[in-house]
Amino acid sequence: MNDLKDKVAYITGGSKGIGFGIASILLKAGMKVAISSRLLENAEKAAKDLGPEDKVLAVSSDVSKLGDEQAAVKKILDKWGKLDVMVANAGVGHFAPVDQISDTLWHEMVNTNLNGVFHSLKASVEALKKSKGYYITVASLAGTNFFANGAGYNATKFGVVGFTQAAMLDLRPYDIKVSTIMPGSVATNFNGHEPSKGDAWKIQPEDIGELVLDLLKMNPRTLPSKIEVRPTRPDKK
Ligand SMILES: NC(=O)c1ccc[n+]([C@@H]2O[C@H](COP(=O)([O-])OP(=O)(O)OC[C@H]3O[C@@H](n4cnc5c(N)ncnc54)[C@H](OP(=O)(O)O)[C@@H]3O)[C@@H](O)[C@H]2O)c1
């Protein structure tokens, strides 16, 4: 996939944060990009900020619903005829002691973060077989480091890391590359956060975009399958 011009990417949860950052970098590299949100108006607003209609497609899809993801991929294939890169990025985080987390919030995390990445793969895998494409999940360092108040989020992100590694083994015979990116703190709206100047020490969303670009440009024979990425200098350390 060394020539990225006019390659087509679909990034779930591209209306803001890491997904938006990945979309902006892939567009600058000459790719066509579809972004999703649970609300079409959020995706459309972000798409307007990203670039022209022939290069950016806004779709509404709740990744917790397989049918939504299948409809989103169909829209992309109808518009551009192929799909080269699927980035399963959409995710939510709720943090509370395990005896206090509600089953509603637990299920929202499992349905979005874990079932969602499965739905995104299921909806895109036949197109990726045709294009010999790339499937990337955005997991987290929380997929390897557990912490107090993180039982639900940790469970989903440990799951995403295991899922992606097993999917890598299943899909490489089709020449589909599969990687999981495991970021530490990124300056986004995650968990209701408002990015500010105080977030300068954090990874910025476009840095994750640059990382995705590096993966896409990697020699076809080589696959970084699990990538941990963290702020160089954590806050106040
Ligand atoms: N920020 C961090 O420090 C950090 C660190 C490690 C990993 N991550 C992971 O990075 C990913 C992106 O998070 P972020 O930090 O960019 O958070 P964010 O700024 O809150 O963005 C989350 C994105 O996901 C979308 N989304 C949420 N639920 C969705 C659903 N059910 N279906 C479709 N889209 C959905 C949101 O769109 P709408 O609200 O418009 O629907 C939004 O575009 C998540 O998987 C998160 O776990 C974040």
Side-chain angles (χ1 to χ4, degrees):
M1 201 176 294
N2 285 356
D3 182 8
L4 295 177
K5 190 164 165 14
D6 290 332
K7 294 273 193 241
V8 175
Y10 171 31
I11 300 150
T12 68
S15 64
K16 54 191 172 189
I18 293 172
F20 186 90
I22 296 170
S24 70
I25 296 296
L26 298 191
L27 277 164
K28 278 186 201 144
M31 294 179 67
K32 294 170 173 163
V33 172
I35 54 164
S36 72
S37 157
R38 287 164 289 188
L39 275 182
L40 184 58
E41 60 186 282
N42 288 356
E44 282 177 340
K45 189 185 170 307
K48 242 183 183 169
D49 294 341
L50 281 166
E53 269 176 33
D54 58 326
K55 298 276 183 197
V56 189
L57 174 67
V59 293
S60 68
S61 171
D62 180 341
V63 294
S64 68
K65 298 174 185 157
L66 175 60
D68 277 17
E69 279 296 90
Q70 288 169 325
V73 170
K74 183 173 182 309
K75 275 189 192 136
I76 294 162
L77 296 178
D78 287 349
K79 185 173 171 78
W80 288 316
K82 61 174 183 162
L83 179 64
D84 300 290
V85 179
M86 171 84 227
V87 184
N89 161 75
V92 293
H94 303 293
F95 302 94
V98 69
D99 56 323
Q100 288 167 38
I101 190 131
S102 70
D103 72 328
T104 305
L105 294 182
W106 171 276
H107 286 298
E108 188 193 341
M109 283 190 280
V110 172
N111 289 334
T112 308
N113 303 359
L114 189 54
N115 294 338
V117 299
F118 171 67
H119 294 154
S120 301
L121 183 141
K122 192 87 182 143
S124 64
V125 70
E126 295 308 320
L128 294 177
K129 283 181 188 172
K130 281 193 191 132
S131 61
K132 299 190 188 304
Y134 211 136
Y135 172 77
I136 295 171
T137 59
V138 178
S140 172
L141 287 181
T144 186
N145 305 331
F146 51 85
F147 46 84
N149 296 335
Y153 189 67
N154 280 139
T156 62
K157 293 300 184 177
F158 272 68
V160 172
V161 173
F163 168 79
T164 313
Q165 295 297 281
M168 180 268 293
L169 298 177
D170 288 343
L171 296 182
R172 60 183 174 173
Y174 298 96
D175 289 322
I176 300 175
K177 284 190 172 189
V178 179
S179 301
T180 188
I181 298 176
M182 303 166 68
S185 298
V186 187
T188 70
N189 295 107
F190 188 69
N191 194 29
H193 180 74
E194 270 306 316
S196 68
K197 279 187 185 163
D199 286 340
W201 62 275
K202 293 182 183 175
I203 300 165
Q204 300 300 310
E206 60 274 20
D207 302 345
I208 303 295
E210 296 286 358
L211 179 53
V212 170
L213 193 56
D214 287 346
L215 292 177
L216 300 184
K217 286 182 174 169
M218 185 77 56
N219 191 296
R221 66 178 165 246
T222 304
L223 175 60
S225 52
K226 189 166 87 168
I227 304 105
E228 292 190 1
V229 52
R230 46 177 51 79
T232 307
R233 283 283 302 266
D235 199 19
K236 299 186 187 100
K237 283 183 190 160

